[in-house]
Amino acid sequence: MHKLALAVVCALAAWPSLANDTNIVAIADTCNSCHGINGVSAGLTMPSIAGQNKDYLQRVLLEQKKGERYTTIMDRFMKNISDEEIAALAEYFAAKEWVPATVAVEMAQANRGRQVLRKTCQNCHGEKGDKNTGDIPRLAGQWPGYIKLEIFKYVDPTFTAKRPSERMAERACNLTEEDMAAVAHFLGTRK
Amino acid sequence: MMMNWNRRQFIGALGTTSLIAGFPGLVLGAAKARVVIVGGGFGGAIAARYLKLHEPGIEVTLIERNKHYISCPFSNEVLSGERNIESLTFGYAAHAARGVNVVHDAVTAIDAAKKTVMTQGGKSFAYDYLVVSPGIDFDYGTIEGASPEMEKTMLHAWKAGEQTLQLKKQLEAMKNGGLVIITSPKRPYRCPPGPYERAAQMAAYFKHHKPKSKVLILDHGDTMPKQALFEESWKQLYPGMIEWVPGSSGGKILRVDQKKRSLVTDMGDQKADIINFIPPQRAAAIARMAGLTDQSGWCPIDPMTMESTLHKGIYVIGDAAVTNDIPKSAHAAASQAKVVVNAIVAVTNGKPVPKPQYTNACYTVVGPDYGFSIVGIFQPEGGKLVSVKGAGGLSPVGAPSYVRKAEAEYAYSWLKNITTEAFL
């Protein structure tokens, strides 16, 4: 065992960034069965994480690990991942290419979604939903099924856990279910 | 780490790369290493995919009997009519397109000393590393009166495909008010929550089409995985339709009477309109023929690397391997495949072998918008694969409908992503 430990330590010492370390790649590989090869999800409700903002990924994973952010399942995985590994995983997936979801455009819904975005979401998420910072995740090209589930958190009366964002809560309560589906669809068709 | 990768094998692997040692990533015609994979289920298919993903210079041969693979995960939904079997059927064209040598043939022998695999078609394949991912066979010999012939009258439907469709036809032909028996076998077996999810999916069909019908589960064991979640969901969705009899309360099958089509337990003769007999299991025949199994019928492995403890240089992954706390699931097989691939790639490229990462995510869908899950994280400890304490765990009992719906949706996305990872 100690030889293995030594090999691991050597590997850590040799790399300035952990993101390319074989140990991080090995952990990242385990994410793919749900999030897709290299973090590019095949859909429909599982979010792509490849090319997502590093600070956002790191913050969310840490919050999930600490139980400060609601998730159906991620907290159970993150409890085994150290804070350093979370930082490295965030860097690893952020460095991958963002591959937009494949969503066939439905014009009426997309137009309605564009209006909803302009009226309700663009101040924070940008005109095209492509704002991409530590606070704001990139939504342009994300899977609509995932975006819908996330918005529903703010309006579904059976969702009783702490909601992750006050600003989202204020905005989402103005939307009808059709609005939410439309804006999710519009965002999903962006690149 | 080299202690787990025998020195001869390591030097052998280095030997094949010595020409290009100064130019990592550059392939000069000859393969960096030759890997043969036996079995194209989730374990084998994902091993092939990740070898090509992480080191295209490795020559990969995937030997699989069948041209198509039918996913066992979510095949219970074929029984309720929620999905068709085509949605679970996959081929190997994507592997071929990525440069995997896909061979549709049956493996007849493995020569561990000569590092060669022989097939029915008369071919032989030399390897530096062999990954064996053969899945399960049924073991009828452990129950009196049971034999493979009963597969025709008491369907197993535990390898998704023709049997799944036949069982669905039986459900459709059954009268309203009929009884189905599902037997849950001795552990370990493939997909521990499967029999209980199946009961729910059958009840989902009955609820709408034959509401007086019932499902009786005769269990070898006294507990079921995700027990509180199953019991809660049955009560909510299918009240009075599913009865579960634990082994010590008379659920254990003592004898099978094929002529009378009945199962004998401590409660006496059990008869039903449909008997879905899920047989006890062991590693598939090729693993036994190759001498990879021990007296348990499964393949013992080194938990650091999944290397067979009986034959060096052969890695056994998936349902066939002895993995202690790790259940026999597609997701677990995927993570084992990656452990082996990352080790082979590291050794081939002269890098340290990473710490093995064993995970399992297992989703259950018991009806429309109603899903739950279990997560397991495992690590080698004292020669075994042991659950990491403080990580993993179950969905909460008593969760609101948002959570159940979200988990059902994530369950389908899990299926989409893991089948894409394996086959597309």
Side-chain angles (χ1 to χ4, degrees):
Chain A
M1 274 312 273
H2 63 277
K3 276 190 194 168
L4 169 70
L6 193 63
V8 171
V9 168
C10 289
L12 296 185
W15 292 91
S17 158
L18 273 179
N20 290 316
D21 181 77
T22 52
N23 284 296
I24 295 303
V25 175
I27 298 172
D29 279 353
T30 69
C31 308
N32 295 354
S33 290
C34 295
H35 286 285
I37 296 262
N38 287 333
V40 178
S41 173
L44 294 173
T45 56
M46 210 64 85
S48 280
I49 51 176
Q52 189 54 277
N53 183 279
K54 174 188 172 285
D55 294 338
Y56 172 79
L57 287 176
Q58 182 175 356
R59 178 172 64 82
V60 167
L61 292 174
L62 282 172
E63 287 172 359
Q64 289 172 337
K65 176 183 173 177
K66 291 183 205 151
E68 292 167 1
R69 186 189 184 94
Y70 178 78
T71 162
T72 52
I73 201 168
M74 283 299 291
D75 53 333
R76 297 181 248 163
F77 283 107
M78 285 305 111
K79 280 177 188 156
N80 189 49
I81 311 291
S82 73
D83 292 3
E84 292 72 25
E85 287 167 338
I86 284 178
L89 285 170
E91 191 183 334
Y92 175 89
F93 282 111
K96 300 277 176 200
E97 189 190 350
W98 175 266
V99 180
T102 44
V103 180
V105 182
E106 289 167 35
M107 280 315 289
Q109 219 189 3
N111 284 333
R112 178 174 180 167
R114 188 197 304 269
Q115 285 165 15
V116 174
L117 182 79
R118 281 191 183 148
K119 196 172 159 210
T120 312
C121 318
Q122 78 170 12
N123 275 357
C124 297
H125 286 285
E127 258 171 71
K128 294 171 187 158
D130 56 353
K131 204 166 165 202
N132 194 2
T133 69
D135 279 342
I136 312 289
R138 175 178 190 149
L139 297 179
Q142 185 58 277
W143 286 98
Y146 169 72
I147 297 174
K148 255 196 290 186
L149 272 181
E150 287 299 301
I151 307 178
F152 280 146
K153 266 184 201 169
Y154 294 93
V155 293
D156 190 316
T158 76
F159 185 86
T160 50
K162 186 177 164 247
R163 297 184 162 103
S165 157
E166 284 302 319
R167 277 179 296 173
M168 278 291 292
E170 285 163 20
R171 297 292 172 131
C173 66
N174 297 321
L175 300 178
T176 64
E177 202 164 311
E178 289 73 25
D179 286 338
M180 294 177 207
V183 77
H185 173 76
F186 175 71
L187 288 165
T189 60
R190 302 295 93 188
K191 301 295 165 204
Chain B
M1 192 60 204
M2 287 315 147
M3 63 184 179
N4 289 304
W5 285 76
N6 88 45
R7 197 161 292 277
R8 185 169 50 82
Q9 179 182 52
F10 178 54
I11 292 167
L14 272 187
T16 61
T17 59
S18 58
L19 272 176
I20 50 168
F23 308 94
L26 188 63
V27 182
L28 301 176
K32 285 188 158 195
R34 295 164 303 170
V35 181
V36 173
I37 301 166
V38 177
F42 282 99
I46 287 174
R49 176 84 188 258
Y50 275 74
L51 280 162
K52 281 295 175 194
L53 183 70
H54 287 325
E55 182 43 88
I58 291 177
E59 181 185 295
V60 183
T61 301
L62 176 62
I63 309 176
E64 161 59 44
R65 232 183 334 207
N66 300 312
K67 293 249 164 85
H68 292 97
Y69 182 79
I70 301 172
S71 164
C72 278
F74 289 87
S75 62
N76 283 331
E77 282 197 338
V78 174
L79 301 176
S80 62
E82 273 295 316
R83 69 169 64 241
N84 58 35
I85 205 144
E86 289 74 24
S87 72
L88 299 171
T89 305
F90 300 91
Y92 297 91
H95 283 96
R98 291 191 183 96
V100 173
N101 178 27
V102 178
V103 178
H104 291 297
D105 202 344
V107 171
T108 49
I110 294 168
D111 188 331
K114 289 188 185 152
K115 294 195 160 191
T116 307
V117 173
M118 274 72 71
T119 68
Q120 205 164 40
K123 289 187 184 137
S124 73
F125 298 89
Y127 63 82
D128 298 311
Y129 306 99
L130 178 64
V131 180
V132 179
S133 186
I136 56 144
D137 272 350
F138 299 123
D139 188 7
Y140 287 96
T142 58
I143 295 179
E144 190 190 335
S147 68
E149 289 78 56
M150 61 193 278
E151 282 183 7
K152 293 184 193 107
T153 52
M154 303 184 210
L155 301 170
H156 57 74
W158 214 242
K159 292 180 181 178
E162 192 47 41
Q163 286 253 330
T164 315
L165 295 173
Q166 283 181 32
L167 184 55
K168 174 154 180 58
K169 274 186 194 152
Q170 289 189 349
L171 294 173
E172 285 167 352
M174 193 183 84
K175 64 176 186 289
N176 185 12
L179 175 71
V180 182
I181 287 177
I182 300 173
T183 67
S184 184
K186 179 173 178 255
R187 292 180 202 180
Y189 60 87
R190 162 181 283 178
C191 188
Y196 317 98
E197 181 191 63
R198 175 169 289 181
Q201 287 292 340
M202 284 181 176
Y205 169 70
F206 291 151
K207 192 175 174 178
H208 295 292
H209 298 94
K210 303 164 187 195
K212 290 180 193 159
S213 309
K214 285 189 176 172
V215 184
L216 175 67
I217 305 169
L218 299 177
D219 206 320
H220 186 93
D222 281 340
T223 57
M224 63 178 116
K226 307 177 179 172
Q227 184 157 342
L229 290 159
F230 272 116
E231 289 178 336
E232 178 186 51
S233 69
W234 293 347
K235 214 167 145 187
Q236 281 177 12
L237 300 178
Y238 315 113
M241 295 180 77
I242 300 172
E243 187 187 346
W244 173 62
V245 186
S248 62
S249 307
K252 192 172 164 182
I253 312 298
L254 305 173
R255 197 160 60 78
V256 176
D257 190 329
Q258 292 192 47
K259 268 191 194 150
K260 287 202 277 180
R261 245 182 107 257
S262 76
L263 308 172
V264 184
T265 80
D266 277 339
M267 303 187 299
D269 274 22
Q270 303 294 312
K271 290 192 163 197
D273 298 280
I274 298 169
I275 294 179
N276 173 204
F277 186 87
I278 302 170
Q281 293 155 34
R282 56 180 166 172
I286 184 61
R288 303 201 300 277
M289 272 196 294
L292 293 166
T293 53
D294 64 15
Q295 66 281 6
S296 73
W298 304 98
C299 306
I301 49 92
D302 174 350
M304 288 300 290
T305 58
M306 300 300 294
E307 184 175 21
S308 166
T309 57
L310 301 174
H311 284 301
K312 292 280 166 203
I314 300 180
Y315 298 79
V316 185
I317 59 173
D319 293 349
V322 177
T323 51
N324 316 109
D325 287 359
I326 306 182
K328 299 188 184 304
S329 78
H331 197 111
S335 96
Q336 292 158 22
K338 293 165 195 174
V339 166
V340 172
V341 165
N342 280 317
I344 290 174
V345 169
V347 171
T348 300
N349 289 328
K351 287 192 176 175
V353 173
K355 186 180 165 207
Q357 301 290 338
Y358 295 105
T359 60
N360 181 50
C362 164
Y363 281 103
T364 294
V365 174
V366 287
D369 292 339
Y370 200 124
F372 45 78
S373 60
I374 187 167
V375 168
I377 317 284
F378 310 91
Q379 65 185 14
E381 205 177 290
K384 292 192 162 181
L385 285 161
V386 180
S387 289
V388 174
K389 288 187 184 65
L394 289 154
S395 303
V397 176
S401 64
Y402 171 88
V403 175
R404 297 287 182 245
K405 182 176 189 296
E407 288 227 88
E409 295 210 19
Y410 287 132
Y412 296 136
S413 291
W414 171 87
L415 178 70
K416 192 154 179 51
N417 277 286
I418 200 168
T419 52
T420 301
E421 182 178 41
F423 301 107
L424 298 173

